[in-house]
C-alpha cells in the first residue's frame, strides 16, 4: 500500500498536509433524525457512528424528507384549492391555509421518516 502524503515545512519540522473531511450536508430533518436516534435508539446511533455510516444515513433522510415535504405541500394545496388566485384575492386566508398544510406535511414526515424505527 502506497500513501501519497505531501508535507510542508514549519521551522525545523515537516508537517503533513492534511485536510479535514468534507462536512456533511445535513439540514433540519437530518438533525431531528440524529437527535431522535441519539435519545431513543442509542444502539442504532452508535452502530451507525462507529461504522462511519451516520452522516450518509442523515443526509439521505434529509434529502428524502425535503422531497417529501415539497411533494406533500403541492398535493395538499391542489386538493384543497389553495392557489395563486386565492393568494391574490385573500392573502391572509392563503397564509392561514398554507400554514396548516405545512404543519400537516411536517407531521407526516416526522411520523414516516424521522421517528421510524
Amino acid at each position: 500500500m502506497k500513501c501519497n502524503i505531501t508535507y510542508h515545512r514549519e521551522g525545523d519540522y515537516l508537517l503533513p498536509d492534511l485536510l479535514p473531511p468534507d462536512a456533511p450536508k445535513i439540514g433540519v430533518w437530518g438533525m431531528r433524525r440524529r437527535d431522535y436516534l441519539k435519545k431513543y435508539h442509542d444502539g442504532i446511533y452508535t452502530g451507525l457512528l462507529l461504522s462511519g455510516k451516520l452522516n450518509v444515513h442523515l443526509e439521505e433522510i434529509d434529502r428524502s424528507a425535503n422531497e417529501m415535504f415539497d411533494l406533500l405541500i403541492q398535493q395538499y394545496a391542489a386538493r384543497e384549492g389553495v392557489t395563486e388566485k386565492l393568494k391574490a384575492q385573500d392573502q391572509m386566508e392563503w397564509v392561514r391555509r398554507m400554514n396548516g398544510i405545512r404543519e400537516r406535511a411536517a407531521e407526516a414526515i416526522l411520523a414516516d421518516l424521522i421517528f421510524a424505527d
Side-chain angles (χ1 to χ4, degrees), residues 13-55:
Y13 300 99
L14 285 176
L15 300 175
D17 296 325
L18 300 177
L19 298 174
D22 291 336
K25 294 164 183 67
I26 301 170
V28 66
W29 300 113
M31 289 187 282
R32 286 181 180 177
R33 175 69 174 171
R34 182 195 62 213
D35 294 343
Y36 172 75
L37 289 176
K38 205 173 191 180
K39 188 171 183 178
Y40 297 106
H41 295 285
D42 191 48
I44 295 171
Y45 174 81
T46 303
L48 288 169
L49 182 64
L50 292 176
S51 68
K53 297 178 183 177
L54 179 63
N55 288 336

